[in-house]
């Protein structure tokens, strides 16, 4: 399977399924959310960027350096300045960037929504950041509480953002497909029966009566 095939395969996997397999540590916090909807599910290798508060230079640099299909992931934490706006998102989309996932803010939301460019971030603010601070690209970053290395697989949809470590991508893909196939083979009646039995067993073990 080529990398392109793998990314396409992960676009078919809900983040809920991936989260069940990977656990809380690989799921970004609820502040990193889609800024418009309904947003398509995106999946691609992380192109990692670090921007200090008040500055967006390296995100703007990354737009011209990330390979098509990449998800640009930004460590920032700044809630006072926008990391990007409509034109930056338009250029990113034109260059084939799959999405922005940013621990920060953007602006020009109406333009971004009209473009159909997926952005997962903490919100919007109209004031832009400066362009002064040079930092290396492609280094490990933290976004939404999750450590991301370049080439880790980022999957994002309306439920949230999950990071699949690159070394585990094949294992997680197989596990997710198996889980979805098992769920698809169950009727709601089957699920309800198994669910009730499991809940009743837990309750009984805790001495619950009722």
């Amino acid at each position: 399977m080529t990398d392109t095939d793998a990314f396409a395969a992960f676009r078919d996997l809900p983040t809920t399924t991936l989260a069940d397999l990977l656990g809380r540590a690989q799921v970004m916090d609820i502040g990193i959310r889609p800024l418009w909807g309904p947003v398509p599910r995106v999946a691609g290798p992380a192109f990692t960027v670090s921007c200090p508060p008040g500055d967006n230079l390296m995100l703007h640099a990354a737009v011209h350096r990330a390979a098509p299909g990449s998800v640009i992931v930004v460590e920032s934490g700044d809630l006072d300045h926008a990391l990007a706006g409509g034109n930056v998102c338009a250029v990113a989309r034109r260059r084939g960037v799959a999405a922005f996932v940013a621990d920060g803010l953007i602006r020009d939301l109406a333009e971004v929504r009209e473009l159909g460019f997926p952005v997962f971030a903490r919100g919007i603010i109209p004031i832009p950041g400066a362009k002064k601070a040079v930092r290396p690209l492609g280094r490990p970053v933290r976004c939404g509480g999750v450590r991301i290395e370049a080439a880790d697989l980022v999957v994002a949809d309306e439920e949230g953002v999950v990071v699949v470590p690159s070394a585990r991508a094949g294992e997680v893909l197989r596990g997710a497909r198996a889980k979805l196939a098992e769920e698809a083979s169950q009727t709601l009646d089957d699920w309800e029966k198994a669910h009730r039995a499991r809940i009743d067993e837990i309750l009984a073990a805790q001495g619950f009566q009722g």
Side-chain angles (χ1 to χ4, degrees):
M1 179 182 293
T2 67
D3 288 346
T4 301
D5 291 338
F7 303 147
F10 272 94
R11 283 197 292 272
D12 294 331
L13 304 178
T15 54
T16 48
T17 301
L18 297 173
D20 287 346
L21 295 172
L22 289 163
R24 179 67 186 87
Q26 296 305 119
V27 179
M28 292 190 188
D29 70 53
I30 62 170
I32 310 298
R33 61 191 188 279
L35 296 188
W36 57 268
V39 69
R41 182 176 299 126
V42 298
F47 188 94
T48 53
V49 180
S50 176
C51 292
D55 199 283
N56 59 31
L57 175 63
M58 297 317 297
L59 170 56
H60 290 231
V63 165
H64 300 284
R65 290 161 175 79
S70 299
V71 176
I72 294 182
V73 179
V74 188
E75 177 181 317
S76 171
D78 183 10
L79 298 180
D80 294 313
H81 306 86
L83 288 162
N87 284 342
V88 171
C89 291
V91 171
R93 183 177 184 274
R94 186 165 65 182
R95 293 184 56 81
V97 172
F100 286 168
V101 175
D103 200 330
L105 312 174
I106 70 158
R107 67 180 193 164
D108 302 328
L109 180 59
E111 294 178 31
V112 176
R113 182 172 54 235
E114 186 175 347
L115 284 168
F117 183 69
V119 177
F120 300 78
R122 294 203 179 273
I124 53 175
I125 197 168
I127 186 72
K131 294 173 181 60
K132 297 179 180 178
V134 175
R135 288 185 170 181
L137 295 170
R139 300 286 180 86
V141 298
R142 291 194 69 83
C143 184
V146 178
R147 186 179 188 273
I148 304 103
E149 296 188 12
D152 283 349
L153 187 66
V154 179
V155 183
D157 61 20
E158 63 185 3
E159 300 278 353
V161 184
V162 178
V163 179
V164 182
S166 59
R168 297 186 60 192
E171 163 208 338
V172 172
L173 178 60
R174 292 189 294 273
R177 283 175 165 170
K179 189 175 191 302
L180 289 172
E182 180 182 359
E183 292 172 354
S185 70
Q186 277 189 326
T187 67
L188 181 58
D189 288 342
D190 293 335
W191 187 90
E192 181 183 8
K193 181 179 179 180
H195 178 258
R196 179 165 185 171
R198 177 170 174 265
I199 296 303
D200 287 349
E201 180 182 354
I202 295 169
L203 292 173
Q206 299 295 323
F208 177 81
Q209 297 181 355

